[in-house]
Amino acid sequence: MSKEKCNPYENMLAMLDKAAEKLGLEYDDYVGLRYPERELTVSVPVEMDNGKKVIFQGYRIQHSSTRGPCKGGVRYHPSVDLEEVKALAAWMTWKCAVVNIPYGGAKGGVKCEPEKMSENELRRLTRRYTAMILPIIGPEKDIPAPDVNTNAQVMAWMMDTFSMLKGYAVPGVVTGKPVDIGGSLGRAEATGRGVMFTVLNIIDKLKLEANGMSIAVQGFGNVGGVAAMLLAEQGFKIVGISDASCALYKKEGIDVKSAFEFAKNNNRLLKGYEEPEMVEICNNELLCLDVDILIPAALENQITKKNAHDIRAKIIVEAANGPTTNEADEILDKKNILMVPDILANAGGVVVSYFEWVQNEQYFMWDEDYINNKLKNVMDKAFEDVWKIHQENNVSLRMAAYMVALDRVARAKKIRGIFP
Ligand code: NAD
């Protein structure tokens, strides 16, 4: 087994400590941020379609509520465990601070294999999980959203369960809901759109042109699929795409819109999608393609010290959360590969989630152009803030993003002080 530390929470702590050192913070100034504020583990009983009972492990972790209500997605995946959810919760704190929205960070998850479950089983799982985390969620406390293998329908079940138990409709308890029950226009595409704005920002700084630049995208779900389509519209050539079922390569560029349509009707998988001149490669080959930009948009720990030496992309834009281990980061840095970190690049989702929550709290609905423009402004401003620290301190963009975030959260913590 590799000796590389892949515990995502330890990776997060290592970055946090380094950022604190760069900012000249004393241990006392940020020690509270090394620990989640609250960890809830629940055993979720579900009656399966065959009548048998299965107990699923579920989590809701609130890392910080210093700058506002906790915010973060819910993930359904076999790899979900406490350490993963803790790291994801902390990354939400940093992400919300980088884009400067008034939220803290949280995350939830249930260890399960959703592709092996029927819709009815998923519905029962979601409703019971929601009921079990109910004491700690709510529009003023902690607002869940979709993440890997959860979607607008899952959010609708969560919203309905919470509302039924409260006795009145509470749309602001989750974001990423269907528009019909208070979801925001533009939310479904927001993370991918934010990734697109980030790519445009980085190539602008490097004085490069979108037209003809090649991109490989790992993960073709809500984030990767949408980002690929929006980037293709901007003139980039998407030469590689992959998901859990296969990886595809075409030198002239894949018709990503058509691939996305195919996956939509194929259990969200690309397996079986065909185009002339397109070949199937393996997942690691996709990560190591000779492309201008690599966008990991699947899961964490995909770029490790095992494959980092073989990465040939010139720029990496992290659309997934935590796709690169710390050791891999150092290797890529030495290879002069420019890395745009997750907490900046994939923040578009939480920004429009924030817009959704604001609309819910005000019983108001904004139009889509207004939302997309507002998203662009927030993403551009965050990029500039991070770029400035990167240039002034001669640090990586990841370190710069952590410095921007930690500075904001630590300052807020200091102003609030410790209760009692
Ligand atoms: P999703 O479930 O819609 O898509 C995940 C994709 O990754 C799927 O195409 C899946 O097949 C693929 N995948 C899984 N394992 C893979 C593997 N080993 N190799 C290649 N592909 C694999 O999830 P999503 O919402 O698109 O989330 C993707 C990433 O983006 C996650 O890290 C998530 O935390 C992060 N993220 C999501 C949002 C959001 O708004 N949905 C916001 C910020 C960050």
Side-chain angles (χ1 to χ4, degrees):
M1 215 176 106
S2 154
K3 285 210 183 104
E4 186 170 9
K5 266 194 258 151
C6 282
N7 178 320
Y9 196 72
E10 280 176 26
N11 282 350
M12 187 289 294
L13 284 181
M15 272 311 296
L16 178 63
D17 289 340
K18 280 190 207 152
E21 196 186 322
K22 290 269 179 211
L23 285 169
L25 294 182
E26 297 292 330
Y27 192 65
D28 258 19
D29 297 333
Y30 77 102
V31 58
L33 295 165
R34 298 185 90 255
Y35 301 88
E37 280 178 16
R38 192 175 278 119
E39 301 177 21
L40 177 62
T41 302
V42 288
S43 303
V44 188
V46 177
E47 185 171 326
M48 307 304 277
D49 291 345
N50 63 7
K52 294 232 170 349
K53 286 190 191 67
V54 176
I55 311 293
F56 294 92
Q57 282 294 297
Y59 307 91
R60 186 71 192 172
I61 310 290
Q62 297 172 343
H63 174 259
S64 170
S65 61
T66 299
R67 284 168 43 93
C70 299
K71 185 84 188 86
V74 174
R75 175 176 294 197
Y76 289 173
H77 196 270
S79 76
V80 165
D81 63 23
L82 188 63
E83 292 304 296
E84 180 184 84
V85 185
K86 271 167 66 180
L88 289 162
W91 285 326
M92 286 306 299
T93 302
W94 312 132
K95 195 179 300 183
C96 293
V98 168
V99 288
N100 214 359
I101 55 176
Y103 278 146
K107 203 82 178 192
V110 179
K111 190 179 184 67
C112 63
E113 291 185 84
E115 67 280 6
K116 294 192 180 152
M117 295 170 69
S118 71
E119 182 163 345
N120 279 334
E121 289 167 343
L122 284 171
R123 178 172 47 75
R124 289 195 289 274
L125 172 73
T126 302
R127 286 188 177 283
R128 183 60 185 248
Y129 168 71
T130 307
M132 294 181 83
I133 63 167
L134 184 127
I136 65 166
I137 61 169
E140 295 86 21
K141 293 188 206 172
D142 178 358
I143 307 125
D147 190 66
V148 175
N149 291 326
T150 56
N151 54 21
Q153 178 60 71
V154 173
M155 293 306 112
W157 291 327
M158 291 190 80
M159 178 269 192
D160 185 67
T161 305
F162 189 91
S163 300
M164 285 300 105
L165 293 169
K166 288 284 171 191
Y168 51 93
V170 191
V173 64
V174 290
T175 58
K177 302 175 287 293
V179 173
D180 288 327
I181 56 167
S184 178
L185 297 170
R187 173 60 185 90
E189 304 80 22
T191 310
R193 190 175 298 280
V195 170
M196 184 261 286
F197 289 141
T198 305
V199 170
L200 293 178
N201 279 327
I202 191 77
I203 68 160
D204 184 56
K205 290 288 180 203
L206 302 176
K207 303 199 178 351
L208 298 168
E209 288 285 331
N211 261 335
M213 279 185 88
S214 58
I215 298 187
V217 183
Q218 184 207 33
F220 205 63
N222 181 31
V223 179
V226 171
M229 284 193 295
L230 293 174
L231 287 162
E233 280 172 19
Q234 295 292 324
F236 293 93
K237 201 163 57 161
I238 313 298
V239 297
I241 54 176
S242 73
D243 67 9
S245 70
C246 67
L248 303 167
Y249 172 73
K250 181 172 171 180
K251 190 164 178 249
E252 299 73 30
I254 297 168
D255 181 350
V256 277
K257 220 174 184 162
S258 143
F260 197 73
E261 274 307 306
F262 175 90
K264 224 162 81 183
N265 302 313
N266 189 42
N267 211 11
R268 301 178 72 227
L269 294 174
L270 286 166
K271 191 83 189 165
Y273 179 66
E274 289 180 353
E275 269 185 39
E277 315 297 323
M278 192 175 69
V279 291
E280 194 166 335
I281 55 177
C282 73
N283 191 30
N284 198 49
E285 280 176 294
L286 180 120
L287 293 173
C288 301
L289 283 173
D290 186 7
V291 287
D292 294 306
I293 304 175
L294 171 65
I295 303 184
L299 295 170
E300 56 267 17
N301 295 335
Q302 296 301 301
I303 306 176
T304 66
K305 72 174 181 190
K306 264 190 180 166
N307 59 6
H309 288 288
D310 302 324
I311 302 276
R312 288 184 287 168
K314 294 163 194 75
I315 304 167
I316 299 178
V317 176
E318 291 185 323
N321 285 311
T324 316
T325 64
N326 289 5
E327 278 102 335
D329 222 15
E330 283 169 21
I331 296 167
L332 298 170
D333 201 39
K334 285 196 188 113
K335 288 177 65 160
N336 281 327
I337 295 175
L338 190 58
M339 168 72 75
V340 187
D342 46 6
I343 58 171
L344 172 63
N346 71 28
V350 77
V351 171
V352 177
S353 272
Y354 165 59
F355 297 159
E356 178 174 332
W357 175 78
V358 169
Q359 293 170 80
N360 293 154
E361 294 299 279
Q362 299 179 343
Y363 297 93
F364 202 80
M365 198 159 177
W366 303 342
D367 70 42
E368 194 164 349
D369 283 348
Y370 180 74
I371 288 164
N372 290 344
N373 284 333
K374 260 181 119 53
L375 170 63
K376 180 171 174 3
N377 291 342
V378 174
M379 294 302 292
D380 290 353
K381 170 78 171 67
F383 192 91
E384 283 303 325
D385 290 347
V386 171
W387 188 261
K388 186 162 173 270
I389 298 291
H390 159 71
Q391 297 271 290
E392 283 176 4
N393 295 271
N394 195 22
V395 292
S396 69
L397 286 169
R398 190 186 309 282
M399 178 56 74
Y402 269 80
M403 287 168 72
V404 169
L406 178 57
D407 180 50
R408 286 178 180 153
V409 184
R411 246 179 318 125
K413 224 171 171 46
K414 189 166 185 185
I415 295 164
R416 284 184 61 165
I418 297 182
F419 173 86

